[in-house]
């Protein structure tokens, strides 16, 4: 007797487990905030605590996305480039949550107070500038925009990430005021990532 072959299972994309891990890891901090909020464990100023944690999440994901290309150049790893988009989108997601928390829970959509803060409070000015710079980066993150803009122009748009990263570190440092050890650590990481890019770009021009 003949047996019909089993239907072929669709091949899963490479490193799908890694992308699933990023999804779970990216959502866990939000879940943890809700759990702590429900248990009244967010401290004396829960709104500020939520803002700070969402902002820190945005910075961590932004630096992780920026580390993908240096990791490929330094170690020859291909897999970081496959998750760079997910990391970058999570960074923008956390930035949006950070800004939304500020607008809704801190300022209650008082646009006059928001504009005053942007103009008069430098750490909010640079933070808002970083948010604005990341909007076109997130919007053009798909392969469709690489085809539409062309790789060189698309790459120019995505270089805004570097400026946004610097502004985010400044925002974090000024926000922290006296306790600046943590912002300094992240600033050193960002400087190292930018240095790798500068070194490899200069070598490429010499060739």
């Amino acid at each position: 007797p003949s047996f019909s072959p089993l239907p072929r299972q669709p091949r899963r994309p490479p490193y799908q487990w890694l992308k699933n891990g990023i999804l779970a890891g990216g959502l866990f901090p939000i879940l943890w905030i809700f759990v702590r909020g429900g248990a009244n464990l967010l401290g004396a100023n829960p709104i500020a605590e939520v803002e700070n944690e969402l902002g820190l999440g945005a910075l961590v994901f932004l630096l992780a996305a920026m580390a993908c290309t240096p990791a490929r150049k330094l170690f020859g790893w291909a897999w970081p480039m496959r998750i760079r988009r997910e990391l970058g989108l999570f960074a923008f997601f956390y930035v949006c949550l950070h800004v939304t928390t500020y607008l809704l829970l801190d300022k209650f959509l008082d646009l006059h107070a928001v504009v005053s803060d942007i103009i008069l409070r430098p750490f909010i000015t640079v933070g808002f500038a970083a948010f604005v710079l990341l909007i076109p980066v997130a919007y053009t993150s798909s392969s469709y925009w690489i085809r539409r803009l062309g790789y060189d122009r698309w790459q120019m748009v995505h270089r805004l990430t570097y400026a946004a990263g610097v502004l985010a570190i400044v925002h974090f440092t000024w926000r922290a005021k006296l306790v600046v050890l943590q912002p300094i650590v992240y600033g050193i990481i960002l400087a190292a990532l930018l240095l790798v890019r500068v070194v490899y770009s200069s070598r490429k021009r010499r060739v």
Side-chain angles (χ1 to χ4, degrees):
S2 62
F3 297 91
S4 58
L6 293 174
R8 295 184 62 184
Q9 297 294 323
R11 294 183 62 185
R12 301 181 67 183
Y15 301 103
Q16 185 62 41
W17 62 271
L18 185 55
K19 293 188 177 184
N20 291 338
I22 291 172
L23 178 62
L27 295 178
F28 178 78
I30 299 172
L31 176 61
W32 185 235
I33 288 173
F34 275 107
V35 169
R36 290 162 58 211
N40 293 319
L41 296 175
L42 289 175
N45 191 342
I47 294 176
E49 182 67 20
V50 171
E51 284 181 353
N52 292 340
E53 292 193 16
L54 292 173
L56 181 60
L59 180 58
V60 168
F61 275 105
L62 183 63
L63 292 177
M66 295 178 68
C68 291
T69 299
R72 177 177 61 83
K73 293 180 181 297
L74 287 174
F75 306 112
W77 296 339
W79 61 265
M81 305 305 293
R82 303 190 184 198
I83 60 173
R84 182 175 60 177
R85 181 171 181 265
E86 285 78 6
L87 293 171
L89 290 177
F90 257 121
F92 187 67
F93 174 62
Y94 271 89
V95 168
C96 289
L97 291 179
H98 179 65
V99 173
T100 301
T101 302
Y102 165 74
L103 293 175
L104 293 181
L105 301 182
D106 196 347
K107 296 301 177 182
F108 301 101
L109 287 179
D110 184 343
L111 297 183
H112 182 268
V114 171
V115 172
S116 296
D117 274 356
I118 293 173
I119 294 173
L120 300 176
R121 303 178 71 184
F123 88 93
I124 293 182
T125 306
V126 297
F128 182 75
F131 169 61
V132 170
L133 289 179
L134 287 175
I135 293 174
V137 176
Y139 185 73
T140 60
S141 63
S142 67
S143 56
Y144 163 80
W145 281 102
I146 299 177
R147 295 190 300 269
R148 181 168 179 177
L149 296 175
Y151 182 73
D152 289 340
R153 283 190 293 176
W154 179 86
Q155 199 172 41
M156 288 180 63
V157 172
H158 282 249
R159 287 192 180 117
L160 294 173
T161 306
Y162 310 151
V166 172
L167 291 174
I169 293 295
V170 174
H171 170 72
F172 190 13
T173 304
W174 288 350
R175 169 80 174 181
K177 296 179 181 177
L178 298 178
V179 184
V180 296
L181 178 60
Q182 193 176 26
I184 288 174
V185 170
Y186 286 108
I188 292 171
I189 294 172
L190 176 61
L193 295 176
L194 294 178
L195 179 62
V196 172
R197 287 180 173 272
V198 169
V199 169
Y200 274 86
S201 295
S202 62
R203 287 183 179 179
K204 186 176 179 181
R205 283 193 293 266
R206 292 175 188 172
V207 176

